[in-house]
Amino acid sequence: MASFYRNTVDGFLHQTQEQIRDRLQMSYANRGYVTQFTDQTLSWERDLHALRQTLLECVNIFGPARSWELLLEFTIPRKEKRIDVVILVGDAIVIVEAKRSEAGAEARRQIEEYALLLHYFHKASDHRRIIPVLVSPHAVSTNHNALLQGEFFPQLATYWINAVAHSSWLVFSQLLVQVGRQVQSQIHADEWDESPYFPVPTIIEAAIALRSGLSIREIAHSEASEHEVAEVRQTIQGFVEHAREEHHHAICFLTGVPGSGKTLVGLSLAHSHENKADAIHFMSGNGPLVKVLQHLFTQEGRREGASAPQARVQAKTLIENVHVFASYYTDTNSSAPSNHAIIFDEAQRAWNRKQNLRKFKRDYSEPEMLLRIMERHTDWAVVVALVGGGQEINDGEAGLEEWGRALLGTKKHRSVHASPEVLEGGASTAGHRLFGEGTTGLKIFENSALHLRTSNRSLRAENLATWVDCVLSGDHEGAAALKIADKFPIFLSRELKIVRRKLREQSIGENRCGLVGSSGAVRLRADGLEPDSSFHAEYPWEHWYLAEANDVRSSYRCEVFATEFEIQGLELDWIGVCWGGDFIRSEGGWRLRAFRHGRHSKWSDIQSDDKRIYRKNAYRVLLTRARQGMVIYIPRGQPDDPTCLPLEFDATAQYLFKCGVTALRP
């Protein structure tokens, strides 16, 4: 069991303090703790005595308290954290952190993190009321009636957590009885204690876990699909092994909704022990993602004792920039690459022929180039293409169709494994298809397992991608019908300082927050946010994602916003989406605009179909980066500035309210 001790309140009161203490000490030793510290024993003695007095008083005041259930030293799996006391009061979960001295901000953050971990990842705590309580001798008396009535969780803005209560042992019984008078059927301690715990890692946490040797099945769980990611990874592993054994060439297209785990599958294949003999290299054209993961792996290598140069080389071997790989094997090396299999993350962003010609004077597309490079292997080779629908965000990104053209133009016989979405078009590919009508000579194998259906990024909001699709397509009724805010808070404010304050309030425990915005939102400069592309190109994004809050470069500061280029493929727990004048709502629908500098600076409607797609996709990326919640900032505008007209921003805000977004109170 996860706890050191569990019993009913009645059973607890009928045991001696010595019996309970001995049980705690035995459990402590059985968890592998060799040394029993005196401080721990004294803490148990003191807290057990106080807890006994509190529960005796509860039983005397409120008879049903005897059937409440109690757990001591509940261990949060895989987090190396223990909750002092959990009291299951009917169907409410009271978590208690006992402090000997005054409970300050750090203690508050600690118990808030416990509450969030249970709320998001502990199955038996789902849709339960969680009440975190800090108990200390010097706590200021709390109005318990006011705390436990009316709106839940005004501070956390999640839907099953109360704000933290501060109490002393002397009055704690009053709070518990007040909870007991409001609850329904009793949660059973054994079921709650042994309930599954499924944490959903960020891509950064997952990368560290994979590098340390954990399997994808151990780290990739989601609320709606516990094993989907692991099964997809095994399916692709089977294609690789078959190609290796049968000496043939293959390409595999994996699709999925934003945040469903495509990158996680790719990283897992690259780190798998099954592929050590023939390493699969993970590649991406997403420069910030590559930079962040390389920096992360360099740090991990240094912690493990490698020298700085060794750690950097190892990191760059694990994560490669696909453009650098393609350039090396095209311009300076004509041999077969060292690896027989490659993973191309965000494959739909590969350059088309025009972009490749403009950049490097190569008169062929990047998909053509990569296929030619892998064809140098005479025995076998596999390309795994991870495809995100509606994620093309920049000039020259080829899209799925370019891969189809490259495959039809190749002379090499290879099998093509693809999801139905790749072959027929669907929401996850934004309607794009790999091939048109003709597929002469290709062996095509449709496999429904190659599509990840469930978003793991946005905790408790598997429909977020669908909601975003409705918002961007102008279907406010469809968006509102999803009732996204029932599980996933999305707020809107017209004041940037309020947005920043809200985001920082949510940065509790290990939660990370930050601002994002469109690269085309050039007038955000009026709010003190720098949109200049040269500034963004030089910014140390690895520190933005990885540094702690006291580092002014980190996302926590909410001073520098990441654009769609810096945030794609990554995520934050809470994001602030800074809306720009490049994507404005009007009576006729969305207006997609580009900014024109000159004597009279102004916005102009985008005419190019491709550029309109890129602008729309930029907002699709921005609106699907949050794991726990989102705050949208829409400026109020300036009546005397035609580039920031209040009416345009007002119309956009009103439209989003119709889509189900909640106004953020000051």
Side-chain angles (χ1 to χ4, degrees):
M1 61 185 183
S3 63
F4 284 13
Y5 172 93
R6 69 186 184 211
N7 207 335
T8 62
V9 167
D10 192 51
F12 172 80
L13 293 176
H14 278 85
Q15 286 185 302
T16 67
Q17 187 158 317
E18 289 72 21
Q19 288 174 318
I20 299 169
R21 184 198 60 205
D22 291 346
R23 176 67 176 275
L24 291 173
Q25 289 176 332
M26 184 177 295
S27 297
Y28 191 85
N30 289 339
R31 299 297 170 91
Y33 296 103
V34 177
T35 305
Q36 177 70 58
F37 294 103
T38 304
D39 284 352
Q40 178 68 80
T41 303
L42 292 175
S43 177
W44 282 337
E45 291 279 3
R46 182 182 57 256
D47 293 343
L48 285 172
H49 176 75
L51 181 62
R52 180 179 296 274
Q53 295 304 311
T54 294
L55 294 177
L56 274 171
E57 190 172 345
C58 288
V59 169
N60 290 333
I61 300 172
F62 185 64
R66 291 184 180 276
S67 63
W68 297 347
E69 307 226 17
L70 178 73
L71 302 97
L72 303 179
E73 298 291 342
F74 175 78
T75 303
I76 299 177
R78 289 166 41 195
K79 287 293 183 179
E80 301 296 325
K81 300 177 187 296
R82 297 203 310 271
I83 302 175
D84 290 347
V85 180
V86 177
I87 307 174
L88 303 177
V89 181
D91 59 354
I93 302 161
V94 179
I95 60 176
V96 182
E97 185 68 16
K99 298 297 182 184
R100 279 177 285 179
S101 57
E102 184 176 353
E106 185 60 33
R108 183 188 183 92
R109 289 173 68 87
Q110 180 184 9
I111 199 169
E112 285 173 338
E113 182 180 355
Y114 293 165
L116 284 175
L117 289 171
L118 293 179
H119 167 66
Y120 281 121
F121 306 128
H122 189 242
K123 195 168 185 178
S125 300
D126 183 35
H127 283 68
R128 302 288 189 183
R129 187 176 179 185
I130 300 174
I131 304 169
V133 183
L134 280 174
V135 180
S136 66
H138 308 292
V140 177
S141 180
T142 304
N143 183 338
H144 298 145
N145 287 333
L147 171 70
L148 299 171
Q149 292 176 353
E151 184 185 0
F152 290 171
F153 2 97
Q155 185 227 342
L156 293 181
T158 52
Y159 288 81
W160 307 100
I161 305 174
N162 264 90
V164 174
H166 291 260
S167 179
S168 66
W169 285 112
L170 292 174
V171 297
F172 185 30
S173 59
Q174 298 174 26
L175 185 149
L176 291 174
V177 169
Q178 183 66 25
V179 174
R181 296 187 190 281
Q182 299 179 11
V183 298
Q184 301 178 21
S185 59
Q186 179 65 45
I187 305 172
H188 295 294
D190 53 349
E191 296 177 5
W192 189 87
D193 197 18
E194 296 171 8
S195 174
Y197 181 83
F198 293 142
V200 180
T202 67
I203 194 62
I204 290 173
E205 291 169 335
I208 294 174
L210 287 166
R211 189 179 185 279
S212 67
L214 288 178
S215 72
I216 195 171
R217 191 173 291 277
E218 290 175 298
I219 66 172
H221 290 290
S222 74
E223 175 181 298
S225 182
E226 297 172 4
H227 305 298
E228 186 181 11
V229 172
E231 290 171 356
V232 168
R233 175 236 176 262
Q234 196 56 47
T235 297
I236 298 174
Q237 181 66 43
F239 298 151
V240 174
E241 291 173 357
H242 187 260
R244 183 189 296 129
E245 292 166 1
E246 299 298 323
H247 295 279
H248 76 264
H249 284 239
I251 186 168
C252 171
F253 291 92
L254 172 64
T255 56
V257 300
S260 58
K262 299 183 293 295
T263 301
L264 181 57
V265 169
L267 287 170
S268 177
L269 287 165
H271 287 78
S272 171
H273 69 277
E274 299 161 287
N275 299 310
K276 286 193 180 296
D278 290 299
I280 302 180
H281 286 199
F282 181 92
M283 302 179 187
S284 177
N286 183 339
L289 173 65
V290 171
K291 194 173 182 180
V292 168
L293 292 180
Q294 285 181 347
H295 184 80
L296 178 70
F297 287 157
T298 299
Q299 289 179 320
E300 290 297 304
R302 292 297 305 277
R303 291 191 189 101
E304 294 168 2
S307 66
Q310 285 177 322
R312 281 193 293 270
V313 169
Q314 291 171 359
K316 290 182 178 180
T317 301
L318 289 167
I319 307 291
E320 293 187 69
N321 187 303
V322 72
H323 302 308
V324 175
F325 170 85
S327 177
Y328 175 74
Y329 281 106
T330 299
D331 300 336
T332 63
N333 191 332
S334 59
S335 63
S338 58
N339 43 307
H340 282 73
I342 62 171
I343 301 154
F344 189 179
D345 193 28
E346 301 288 356
Q348 78 284 351
R349 295 189 63 192
W351 290 342
N352 59 25
R353 175 174 295 186
K354 182 179 179 181
Q355 179 76 347
N356 218 12
L357 183 64
R358 185 176 71 84
K359 283 276 190 179
F360 294 114
K361 307 298 186 227
R362 305 186 192 115
D363 194 18
Y364 40 81
S365 70
E366 208 163 45
E368 288 180 83
M369 185 167 62
L370 289 169
L371 292 179
R372 290 179 188 178
I373 291 170
M374 298 308 291
E375 286 171 5
R376 296 174 190 171
H377 287 290
T378 57
D379 47 1
W380 71 279
V382 177
V383 175
V384 180
L386 313 180
V387 180
Q391 302 283 301
E392 301 88 357
I393 55 177
N394 201 9
D395 288 344
E397 293 179 355
L400 190 54
E401 292 84 354
E402 188 60 47
W403 283 94
R405 286 189 286 269
L407 286 168
L408 290 172
T410 184
K411 297 178 181 179
K412 191 74 173 182
H413 295 290
R414 57 167 51 83
S415 57
V416 179
H417 303 272
S419 71
E421 299 252 331
V422 165
L423 299 175
E424 301 165 11
S428 71
T429 63
H432 294 281
R433 298 170 57 189
L434 183 62
F435 302 110
E437 298 301 322
T439 56
T440 306
L442 292 176
K443 296 180 180 179
I444 301 173
F445 301 92
E446 182 177 313
N447 192 324
S448 59
L450 294 175
H451 177 65
L452 291 164
R453 301 174 297 278
T454 306
S455 175
N456 297 336
R457 172 180 295 133
S458 301
L459 310 179
R460 302 187 179 278
E462 61 270 20
N463 290 325
L464 179 61
T466 304
W467 182 83
V468 172
D469 282 340
C470 290
V471 170
L472 298 182
S473 65
D475 181 10
H476 67 85
E477 293 180 347
L482 290 170
K483 297 183 178 179
I484 195 76
D486 286 355
K487 279 190 169 185
F488 187 80
I490 304 178
F491 296 101
L492 188 151
S493 175
R494 310 299 299 274
E495 300 291 340
L496 185 55
K497 64 179 180 181
I498 294 175
V499 173
R500 284 173 165 145
R501 185 179 67 203
K502 183 65 176 177
L503 293 175
R504 288 165 181 156
E505 285 177 356
Q506 305 310 315
S507 298
I508 60 179
E510 298 177 357
N511 287 357
R512 193 175 194 96
C513 71
L515 298 176
V516 301
S518 165
S519 61
V522 297
R523 294 299 294 131
L524 286 176
R525 183 177 285 135
D527 293 286
L529 298 172
E530 181 51 65
D532 184 70
S533 59
S534 60
F535 169 81
H536 282 257
E538 297 298 324
Y539 198 78
W541 294 105
E542 65 274 22
H543 297 295
W544 194 84
Y545 281 105
L546 302 175
E548 297 298 329
N550 57 358
D551 189 326
V552 296
R553 299 169 297 181
S554 77
S555 65
Y556 288 112
R557 305 300 287 235
C558 295
E559 294 177 356
V560 173
F561 74 92
T563 70
E564 66 272 24
F565 301 116
E566 291 93 40
I567 197 72
Q568 189 174 50
L570 290 157
E571 70 256 315
L572 298 176
D573 296 296
W574 277 80
I575 64 166
V577 179
C578 301
W579 212 276
D582 56 333
F583 200 73
I584 290 293
R585 194 71 186 169
S586 68
E587 291 184 2
W590 288 111
R591 292 188 65 189
L592 289 72
R593 310 189 298 189
F595 198 74
R596 308 299 181 196
H597 292 283
R599 183 177 178 184
H600 298 289
S601 298
K602 63 179 182 179
W603 292 101
S604 297
D605 290 332
I606 298 173
Q607 302 300 323
S608 164
D609 289 340
D610 285 345
K611 290 184 183 298
R612 289 180 62 83
I613 290 172
Y614 298 149
R615 183 56 42 225
K616 183 177 180 179
N617 286 347
Y619 278 82
R620 187 190 312 278
V621 169
L622 298 174
L623 291 167
T624 55
R625 298 302 102 184
R627 288 167 50 81
Q628 295 182 16
M630 185 187 331
V631 186
I632 298 172
Y633 165 61
I634 297 185
R636 291 193 179 278
Q638 300 290 337
D640 57 349
D641 185 347
T643 68
C644 300
L645 292 176
L647 287 177
E648 294 178 337
F649 288 121
D650 291 346
T652 304
Q654 289 305 313
Y655 171 77
L656 290 174
F657 285 134
K658 289 181 181 179
C659 292
V661 172
T662 304
L664 180 60
R665 297 192 303 269

